[in-house]
Amino acid sequence: MLGMCRGRRKFLAASLALVFIPALTWLYLSVGSFQGEDVKPLPLSPLEAQSPIPVVGAGERQALELRVRAVEEENRALRRELSRPPRSPSARLASGGHHGNQSRTHSEEGTGDNEGQKAAAVGNSSDCVQQPVVDKCETIHVAIVCAGYNASRDVVTLVKSVLFHRRNPLHFHFITDSIAQQILSSLFHTWMVPAVRVDFYDADELKSEVSWIPNKHYSGIYGLMKLVLTKTLPSDLQRVIVLDTDITFATDIAELWAVFHKFKGQQVLGLVENQSDWYLGNLWKNHRPWPALGRGFNTGVILLLLDRLRKLRWEQMWRLTAERELMSMLSTSLADQDIFNAVIKQNPFLVYQLPCFWNVQLSDHTRSEKCYKDVSDLKLQKTLSELDEDDPCYEFRRERFTVHRTHLYFLHYEYEPSSDNADVTLVAQLSMDRLQMLEAICKHWEGPISLALYLSDAEAQQFLRYAQGSEVLMSRGNVGYHIVYKEGQFYPVNLLRNVAMRQVNTPYMFLSDIDFLPMYGLYEYLRKSVVQLDMANSKKALVVPAFETLRYRLSYPKSKAELLSQLDMGTLFTFRYHVWIKGHKPTDFAKWRTATTPYRVQWEADFEPYVMVRRDSPEYDRRFVGFGWNKVAHIMELDAQEYEFVVLPNAYMIHMPHAPSFDITKFRSNKQYRVCLKTLKEEFQQNMSRRYGFAALKYMTAENNS
C-alpha cells in the first residue's frame, strides 16, 4: 500500500513539472522581451554565442546573429594574418597576441581548429613556412666552365632553363676558352636579357694550375677547373652556384640559392649524393674508384661558400689530397669529382648534402615586383623610340633596330686559312626551307663556308639533328653555322649576310646566295685570281656570272663549253633575264661567251652581281629586309667606294629552282610593301649623297633615268 502511494506521488510531481516548467520558461522570455532600455543583456562569450537555445525573441536573435557574424569575421581576419609570411618577429608576436583568445576558443569549440592550428604553426615554425629567404633584388651568382663548340651549344639550354624560371638578377661567371667566349659573348650581347650580367675568365690562364693532374675524363683539362674557382673568381665574391653545361633547371634557381642559409658550422660545399654505384667499387671486377664518403657526391651542381673556403685554405687542401691519392691512383677518372670526394672523405664536416629532388620541383613562383628597371621592348634599342608609330612604313624601319639573338658556330668549326694570303670563304644565308641546298653546296665548294641561318629555337634543334645525320656535313669542319633566331615579321636578309661576313677568317670572301651552286673548282679558280689580279693591292670586286635553270634535275656543266651548249639548247638561261634583266645586264653575257681574260664593266642602276671582295669591304645596309634592293644597295656602296667590277671569264654559278619565298609574295601582292621599299630606296640614296658628296649624284640621276 505504501509503495502504491509513493508511486502516485511521483506521478503527480512529474505531471506538475510538465505543466509549470514550460509556463515559467514562457513567462521568463516574455518578461525579457519587454525589458526597458536601462536593462542591459549579459555579454555573451563566443562559446555561448554558438550554444543551442530552444526559443529566442526577435531582438535577441538579431543580437546573436550580429555577434556571430562579428566573431566569424574576426576568425577570417586571423586566418589571413597567420597565413602570411611574418615580416618580423615583432609583427608575428603582435599578430598572435591580438587574436589569441579567439583562436583558443575556436580550438576548444571544435570549429576551425585545424586551420587555426595550421596557421599558427606556419607563423611560428621556420621549418614549415615557405618564406622568400632570398630577397627579390639579391643577385644570384652562377659559375660555369665551358669550352669548345659543343659545350657552348649545350650551355644555351642551361641558361634558357634558368632564365625561364628566375625572378632574381643573375650574374654568370664563365670560365671559357677563346672559342666559347666568342660564341657566348655574341649570344648574350644580342640576347639583351634584363638583369643579367656576364663575365668571362680565360681558361688558358688556369691550365697551369691543374695541368699536372693526369685525367682520363673526356672533359680533359677543363674538367678540373672547378677546383680553382676560389682563386679564379673575384675575391669579394662570397658564394656561387657551380653548374655543369648539361644541367637543365625545372624550378627557380633562387630556391637552390636559398639553401646557403642552411649551412652550419664549417659546411662550405653543397652537393647531391651520387646516384650511381661508381664510388662503391662494385661495377666490374677490379674496379678501383677514388676514395669517397659512402656513395660519394656528384659535382654537376655545387654550392660553394667561397669566403669560408678561402679561410680554410682550400687550395692547399685539395692539392695535398690530390698529390697523395695520385701516388696510388695515377690519374683521375671523373676529373674534379674524384678530388672533391677524396677531400670530403678526409673532411666530412665540409659538406652539406643537398636533397636529390631539389632541381626537379616545379616552382610556383612568379615574377612579381621587378627590382630592375622596366623597358618597353627588350629586343629594341633606344633609337626605336625616335620612330613615328603612325608612319605607314614603321614596321620596315623598326626592323633595322631589332636585335636578334645570335649563336655563332652552332656546330664544331676548325679551319686555319692558307699561308699564301689568297684564301676565300663562301658567304651565304638561309632559312629552314633551303636546308636541302647545304649538301650540294658542300660538294661544289671545298673551301671554307660561313652561313647564317634564320631559325626558331625548334628549327635550330631540327637543323642540329639534320646536320648530325648527314655524312657530307659532318665530314666538313670548315663550315661555320651561325644561328640568328627569329624575331619580327620580315626576313632580315642583310643582317644575316653581315653576321656571316663578320665570321670570315680568310682575306677574301665570295658573297653568294644559298640557291646558287658554284661551278666545280670555283674555290681554286678564285684563289688564283686573287694573285693574278693583285687583289691585295687594289680595290676590286670580281664578278662571277650567274645563270639559272628551270629544271629541278640538272646535269651540272663541268666546263664553260658545256654551259654554253646548255645555254644554246635552252636548258640554262642568264639569271633573271625574263623578269629582271637590269640586275645582271652590265655583266655583258655576250662578251663573256668569248672572253678569255678578265674584263672590267661599269656600274649601272640596279646592278646586283655576285662578287668576291676583300674581307674589309663594307657591310650590307640593314634597312632593306625581305625582298628588294638588298644586294643593289650593297653594290652601289662598293661603286661609291671606287671598287672596280671585273668579270671573270671562266667562272660561273647556277641558280637552282625553288618555290617563291614568302617575302617576294608579299612584295608582289602588297602595294604598301612596294611603296615602303621605294621610300627606303630614296632615303638610302640621300644618305649616299651626304656621305660621298658630288660623286654620289650619279645614283640619283641613274635611278631617275631607269
Short mmCIF file of all heavy atoms in Angstrom, two decimals, residues 232 235 290 567 628:
data_model
loop_
_atom_site.label_atom_id
_atom_site.label_comp_id
_atom_site.label_asym_id
_atom_site.label_seq_id
_atom_site.Cartn_x
_atom_site.Cartn_y
_atom_site.Cartn_z
N THR A 232 90.05 31.87 -58.94
CA THR A 232 89.70 32.49 -60.22
C THR A 232 88.67 33.60 -60.07
O THR A 232 88.81 34.68 -60.65
CB THR A 232 89.13 31.42 -61.17
OG1 THR A 232 90.06 30.34 -61.27
CG2 THR A 232 88.86 32.01 -62.54
N SER A 235 87.72 38.11 -55.48
CA SER A 235 87.98 37.85 -54.06
C SER A 235 86.85 38.31 -53.15
O SER A 235 86.72 37.83 -52.02
CB SER A 235 89.29 38.52 -53.64
OG SER A 235 89.21 39.93 -53.88
N TRP A 290 88.27 6.31 -56.79
CA TRP A 290 88.89 7.17 -55.78
C TRP A 290 88.10 7.06 -54.47
O TRP A 290 86.92 6.71 -54.48
CB TRP A 290 88.88 8.62 -56.28
CG TRP A 290 90.05 8.95 -57.16
CD1 TRP A 290 90.43 8.31 -58.29
CD2 TRP A 290 90.98 10.02 -56.96
NE1 TRP A 290 91.54 8.90 -58.84
CE2 TRP A 290 91.91 9.96 -58.03
CE3 TRP A 290 91.14 11.01 -56.01
CZ2 TRP A 290 92.97 10.84 -58.17
CZ3 TRP A 290 92.20 11.92 -56.13
CH2 TRP A 290 93.11 11.83 -57.20
N LEU A 567 73.20 26.51 -122.61
CA LEU A 567 72.61 27.83 -122.79
C LEU A 567 71.96 27.93 -124.18
O LEU A 567 70.85 28.46 -124.34
CB LEU A 567 73.69 28.90 -122.63
CG LEU A 567 73.24 30.35 -122.37
CD1 LEU A 567 72.49 30.44 -121.05
CD2 LEU A 567 74.45 31.27 -122.34
N GLY A 628 63.87 42.79 -102.16
CA GLY A 628 64.04 44.04 -102.88
C GLY A 628 65.19 44.91 -102.41
O GLY A 628 65.26 45.28 -101.25
#
